[in-house]
Amino acid sequence: MATALSSPATAHYIPQNLPTHLQHYIGGQFVDSIGRETFEVLDPVSNTPYCTAASGQQADIDAAVAAARDAFETGPWPRMKPRQRANILNRIADAVVAQEDRLAEMETFDTGLPITQSRGQAQRAAENFRFFADLIVAQHDNAFNVPGAQMNYVNRKPIGVAGLITPWNTPFMLESWKLAPALASGCTVVLKPAEFTPLSASLWASIFAEAGLPDGVFNLVNGFGESAGDALVKHPNVPLISFTGESSTGQVIYANCAAGLKGMSMELGGKSPAIVFADADFDAAIDSTVFGVFSLNGERCTAGSRILVQREIYDRFCQEYAARAKNIVVGDPHDPATEVGALVHPEHYDKVMSYVELGKSEGRLLAGGGRPDDLPAGQENGSYVAPTVFADVAADARIFQEEIFGPVVAITPFDTDEEALALANNTRYGLAAYVWTSNLQRAHNFAQSVEAGMVWLNSHNVRDLRSPFGGVKASGLGNEGGYRSIDFYTDQQAVHITLGEVHTPQFGRRADGTAS
């Protein structure tokens, strides 16, 4: 089926001064792997290597953790006053904004995300640092007074070296979600970025150095999950792990963290429902559900990839949704007209295309269903998937149940509120849900009954940094955001002070007051 394409005359843009080799950053120094291991990094538009990256192994993780632990135990960062740390966090935000254009072009080149969607990532990353700079200055904790008897207060202490493992879909911004609260809390960090997209992560070192972050507070080790990631999770001197990625990897990390009784925060996969009732604002619901699954190339954990539509408007909705999907502009990610770019990597492209083929036997194909036609010269081998829409998808279909993480959507009808809720909850995931209705009572009742960590009513995914971010069921463990992030990266110590005379039972004393 036809798909709109960006102009064939638009040549694939390659940023200037791209690095040919990416190193680790340990203890304030750029270094290669101790064993000289490397891996190739691909450009998703041409699927050809554009650089190599140092491939972290156990020895490299050991070195990074040692640097981070030394910075935590002997360096100034955990002992700074909140305002001092906040000043540096704000300088980090300024440095991020100053590199906005460079960051956007690097992120687009590395991930295949459309440039218009990459341009906002620097601003969002900077806002994360500004938010937590404000939060740690304004932060307060409980104090409880028992007059004349006891005073109790809470003392927060950074836990230590935080292991941060981040995904490839919007890497720089999602790295900032973890880096900002971890650093604000006084922790030191070892970041393991996704192996598909290490390019923008390489910017952090210069940003932090420019802002005055002490050496050893931030460390970065590139590499694969089974080597660098596994070594970081299992390291005895890393007391907590924050991970964003797929649920199966989360299960492995969960088991490995258990041996060390490590703290864990995990934001995992999703198969989020968007429920559209007949009384919804139809045009707004169409806009939001199209954007919700096809923005970021469909590679987003909160994508509303299961759309449940009330029967009265089902046929009209399917017709208009398919028409919109066919008009989505697919093409070179650097073309400002592009709305869906190239998927991140051939390995992921093959996974998404396998679901597209499966969907042809599980639903009625309304749009897409393969690669776009007539791709520009030089991009024929790019990881492009046409926005794909399946209707009449049964609740037990794999494309209804399993996370695809690409520009593929399943649409299913329902008749009653009860049926809609049952369909929405009929999945192992529980990250997000979107509800479209003009009935306020229904909206709130549905939101409170749906099994999802986050619900948006008559809205697409708009994030408030003060609110918790996380899922239930197979979509995650714990929440981050606002004070919940500070809770994760700090120990809360209760201190009790006696104000009056202590009355303690005198075990072992005889009636005459002697001990024997």
Side-chain angles (χ1 to χ4, degrees):
M1 296 188 178
T3 298
L5 294 171
S6 59
S7 170
T10 303
H12 175 39
Y13 176 81
I14 299 176
Q16 293 183 341
N17 302 317
L18 280 176
T20 58
H21 180 63
L22 299 173
Q23 296 178 296
H24 309 309
Y25 186 74
I26 298 175
Q29 300 292 324
F30 287 101
V31 296
D32 279 317
S33 292
I34 292 171
R36 299 295 176 184
E37 297 90 350
T38 64
F39 63 93
E40 291 184 329
V41 186
L42 304 183
D43 158 20
V45 167
S46 65
N47 277 328
T48 57
Y50 70 88
C51 78
T52 59
S55 185
Q57 308 297 315
Q58 180 72 58
D60 306 299
I61 291 293
D62 288 345
V65 173
R69 191 178 188 196
D70 181 63
F72 184 80
E73 293 181 345
T74 66
W77 187 250
R79 282 156 281 280
M80 283 184 181
K81 293 179 180 179
R83 175 63 70 185
Q84 293 175 295
R85 286 203 299 269
N87 288 340
I88 292 177
L89 294 178
N90 278 313
R91 289 202 293 270
I92 291 169
D94 292 340
V96 168
V97 172
Q99 296 205 39
E100 180 174 12
D101 291 341
R102 176 64 170 168
L103 168 64
E105 66 176 8
M106 289 175 73
E107 194 86 318
T108 287
F109 183 78
D110 205 25
T111 65
L113 294 179
I115 187 66
T116 54
Q117 296 169 43
S118 291
R119 285 200 179 111
Q121 301 304 313
Q123 293 289 346
R124 293 186 67 187
E127 180 57 27
N128 288 327
F129 281 94
R130 297 195 203 283
F131 174 84
F132 284 104
D134 292 341
L135 193 64
I136 58 167
V137 173
Q139 175 183 302
H140 62 88
D141 276 300
N142 295 324
F144 305 99
N145 182 30
V146 182
Q150 194 175 53
M151 172 67 74
N152 312 289
Y153 67 89
V154 175
N155 176 40
R156 282 187 184 269
K157 300 189 292 185
I159 291 179
V161 179
L164 312 178
I165 303 175
T166 51
W168 44 255
N169 50 336
T170 52
F172 191 85
M173 192 272 293
L174 290 178
E175 287 154 10
S176 76
W177 275 16
K178 300 182 187 299
L179 287 166
L183 296 175
S185 300
C187 290
T188 58
V189 304
V190 177
L191 170 66
K192 205 295 284 183
E195 64 271 17
F196 288 171
T197 55
L199 183 59
S200 63
S202 68
L203 294 174
W204 285 118
S206 61
I207 287 171
F208 288 144
E210 178 184 334
L213 191 73
D215 289 346
V217 173
F218 167 76
N219 303 274
L220 181 150
V221 178
N222 293 302
F224 294 88
E226 55 268 29
S227 50
D230 187 66
L232 182 60
V233 168
K234 293 177 179 176
H235 201 287
N237 292 329
V238 178
L240 75 171
I241 296 291
S242 178
F243 169 74
T244 299
E246 63 175 352
S247 297
S248 58
T249 305
Q251 289 176 301
V252 174
I253 291 175
Y254 191 110
N256 289 333
C257 283
L261 297 177
K262 297 176 185 284
M264 287 178 290
S265 177
M266 297 198 293
E267 192 263 283
L268 306 176
K271 192 70 176 177
S272 300
I275 304 97
V276 183
F277 289 92
D279 63 353
D281 181 329
F282 186 89
D283 292 336
I286 286 282
D287 288 342
S288 180
T289 52
V290 168
F291 178 83
V293 75
F294 296 126
S295 60
L296 303 181
N297 297 347
E299 297 166 327
R300 60 187 307 163
C301 55
T302 54
S305 54
R306 294 183 298 138
I307 305 178
L308 314 178
V309 183
Q310 201 156 26
R311 183 106 36 200
E312 293 95 309
I313 60 169
Y314 182 74
D315 290 341
R316 177 189 171 200
F317 186 94
C318 288
Q319 181 179 358
E320 295 202 20
Y321 195 96
R324 289 283 292 273
K326 293 174 185 177
N327 283 335
I328 289 173
V329 177
V330 180
D332 189 285
H334 288 278
D335 184 345
T338 293
E339 294 168 314
V340 169
L343 298 190
V344 68
H345 192 274
E347 180 181 311
H348 183 59
Y349 169 84
D350 290 342
K351 172 195 168 185
V352 172
M353 288 299 292
S354 71
Y355 278 105
V356 170
E357 291 306 309
L358 176 65
K360 294 174 183 178
S361 64
E362 292 189 329
R364 177 165 55 98
L365 181 64
L366 301 183
R371 291 175 62 81
D373 298 325
D374 302 321
L375 286 166
Q379 300 183 34
E380 301 91 340
N381 296 321
S383 297
Y384 289 103
V385 175
T388 298
V389 181
F390 293 105
D392 308 342
V393 180
D396 60 353
R398 287 182 60 191
I399 62 169
F400 187 93
Q401 291 289 338
E402 299 175 18
E403 184 177 42
I404 299 173
F405 219 66
V408 182
V409 67
I411 308 178
T412 300
F414 70 88
D415 291 297
T416 65
D417 291 30
E418 293 76 17
E419 184 184 3
L421 182 63
L423 285 168
N425 290 340
N426 180 27
T427 174
R428 65 190 289 253
Y429 297 105
L431 187 57
Y434 307 86
V435 181
W436 288 86
T437 178
S438 61
N439 184 321
L440 186 63
Q441 184 180 40
R442 167 195 279 157
H444 285 290
N445 285 329
F446 202 98
Q448 293 175 30
S449 299
V450 71
E451 295 168 352
M454 299 168 287
V455 183
W456 280 270
L457 302 178
N458 298 322
S459 169
H460 62 85
N461 185 336
V462 179
R463 175 85 197 281
D464 186 327
L465 294 176
R466 297 169 297 179
S467 61
F469 190 98
V472 298
K473 301 195 291 188
S475 287
L477 178 70
N479 286 282
E480 295 189 34
Y483 281 114
R484 290 164 180 83
S485 291
I486 303 298
D487 287 343
F488 178 67
Y489 292 106
T490 57
D491 283 322
Q492 299 170 57
Q493 179 187 60
V495 180
H496 307 280
I497 308 158
T498 298
L499 302 177
E501 185 178 352
V502 179
H503 298 284
T504 305
Q506 297 180 333
F507 281 22
R509 291 184 66 86
R510 294 174 52 152
D512 60 5
T514 65
S516 60

